[in-house]
Amino acid sequence: MKIVAGCDVGSLTTKAVLMENKRIKKSAVIPSGPKPAVSATLVMEQLFADTGLSQKDVAFCVGTGYGREKIPFIDKAVSEVSCHGKGAQWLVPSARTIIDIGGQDCKVVKLDDNGKLVKFVTNDKCASGTGRFLDVMAKVMNIDVSELGKLSAKSMAPVTFASICTVWAQADVIKYINSRRPAEDICAGINTAMANRVAMLANTVKVEKDLCMTGGVAKNEGVVKALSKILGCKIKRIKRTDPQLAGAVGAALYAMEQV
Ligand code: ADP
């Protein structure tokens, strides 16, 4: 059986998967550097080091993400919207609406029963509603972004923000820290503010069941829970693999169709 690859160069992380026989053979996530070509090469080198394979063993490679056109070794480039849709539906076959929240943008993608793209909307103009908002707030809180979800689960009285603008919300977080509000209440407020912003975007297209989340922010259970509550719709978790890999998985699935 031929081995194929998907490589997703995002604004913050670069992801890659090797697939064989419709199964993920190996995956890797590394931080993105300033040059997409270098990040893509490094993530593939990690996969090859882990598997003992090399580029010549890859029958077809699809690139995606904002840096896709700059990846030197790919056979084809496919948009992030298409790859996230494809990857998410392979991981959660019942998914019809996919909310992808990465470091620099947020996308809501709607698919039909055959996986065909019906509609999509994107927010890539403003940091609020993207992973960057959470990263900035976690830094002000002096915690790792991966702790926001767990901490917020303990909250009994989440704080509120006067504005969802990242700059103003940051000032509010500092104000709450100084007034000794418990960290879990501030974290819950941050996750809810994020979810409110994403829900505004999601409501511009009618969310249809099943709803699934991809991208790094899907690992923040606080945002997932808050978004599910605001939209009044259960969010199906991706359990088979890391949701951050969905775009790279979709790219590898497109590659598989070519061989
Ligand atoms: P991109 O594709 O744009 O590079 P990602 O899909 O990799 O973005 O998502 C990056 C975002 O995911 C970060 O901004 C961060 O907020 C969030 N994130 C990454 N890892 C975790 C984690 N372990 N727990 C919670 N959130 C995370």
Side-chain angles (χ1 to χ4, degrees), residues 10 24 44 60 83 124 126 162 169 177 187 197:
I24 297 172
M44 292 304 287
F60 205 92
C83 287
D124 54 6
C126 169
I177 294 170
C187 291
R197 185 72 179 82

Side-chain angles (χ1 to χ4, degrees), residues 17 28 37 44 53 62-63 78 84 128 139 163 166 175 192 195 202 204 211:
V17 303
M44 292 304 287
L53 297 167
V62 166
V78 177
H84 273 275
S128 68
K139 203 165 178 197
S163 163
T166 308
K175 185 186 79 190
T192 304
T204 63
L211 174 60

Side-chain angles (χ1 to χ4, degrees), residues 10-13 15 102-104 131 135 145-146 215-217 219-220 244:
S11 61
L12 287 185
T13 64
K15 290 79 60 177
Q104 207 162 266
D135 298 345
V145 72
S146 62
V217 177
K219 293 197 266 197
N220 179 330
Q244 202 168 9

Side-chain angles (χ1 to χ4, degrees), residues 22-250:
K22 285 212 167 180
R23 286 185 59 198
I24 297 172
K25 192 176 171 65
K26 200 80 199 168
S27 64
V29 181
I30 63 165
S32 292
K35 293 193 171 157
V38 175
S39 305
T41 305
L42 286 175
V43 79
M44 292 304 287
E45 275 173 6
Q46 186 168 321
L47 287 185
F48 295 145
D50 290 346
T51 54
L53 297 167
S54 70
Q55 193 70 48
K56 65 177 179 355
D57 297 307
V58 178
F60 205 92
C61 180
V62 166
T64 190
Y66 95 99
R68 63 185 177 273
E69 301 292 351
K70 303 238 163 64
I71 308 175
F73 51 81
I74 56 167
D75 300 295
K76 194 181 175 186
V78 177
S79 79
E80 292 155 86
V81 169
S82 298
C83 287
H84 273 275
K86 196 163 190 77
Q89 212 172 48
W90 185 72
L91 293 161
V92 179
S94 60
R96 296 294 173 271
T97 308
I98 292 112
I99 298 181
D100 169 62
I101 316 178
Q104 207 162 266
D105 67 4
C106 170
K107 301 182 261 299
V108 185
V109 181
K110 285 182 71 176
L111 304 171
D112 69 13
D113 292 351
N114 301 314
K116 201 168 160 269
L117 185 69
V118 178
K119 213 173 191 177
F120 76 92
V121 280
T122 311
N123 160 32
D124 54 6
K125 302 276 181 294
C126 169
S128 68
T130 73
R132 183 78 65 182
F133 175 85
L134 299 172
D135 298 345
V136 169
M137 299 308 156
K139 203 165 178 197
V140 178
M141 296 283 299
N142 199 22
I143 59 170
D144 191 84
V145 72
S146 62
E147 294 175 78
L148 274 175
K150 265 191 208 84
L151 266 170
S152 68
K154 297 180 193 154
S155 169
M156 301 304 277
V159 301
T160 54
F161 294 103
S163 163
I164 49 169
C165 164
T166 308
V167 176
W168 294 118
Q170 198 176 345
D172 274 352
V173 169
I174 295 168
K175 185 186 79 190
Y176 285 129
I177 294 170
N178 287 331
S179 60
R180 298 188 187 282
R181 287 292 294 262
E184 54 263 35
D185 291 344
I186 307 176
C187 291
I190 292 167
N191 287 337
T192 304
M194 168 83 182
N196 274 322
R197 185 72 179 82
V198 174
M200 275 163 62
L201 183 73
N203 282 330
T204 63
V205 296
K206 208 169 142 271
V207 170
E208 277 170 68
K209 285 202 240 171
D210 283 340
L211 174 60
C212 154
M213 265 181 81
T214 62
V217 177
K219 293 197 266 197
N220 179 330
E221 63 255 52
V223 173
V224 177
K225 220 171 137 192
L227 192 54
S228 171
K229 198 171 160 198
I230 298 161
L231 293 175
C233 178
K234 203 166 172 275
I235 297 178
K236 286 229 163 188
R237 303 294 298 267
I238 292 177
K239 295 193 187 116
R240 276 160 66 188
T241 188
D242 181 347
Q244 202 168 9
L245 288 171
V249 169

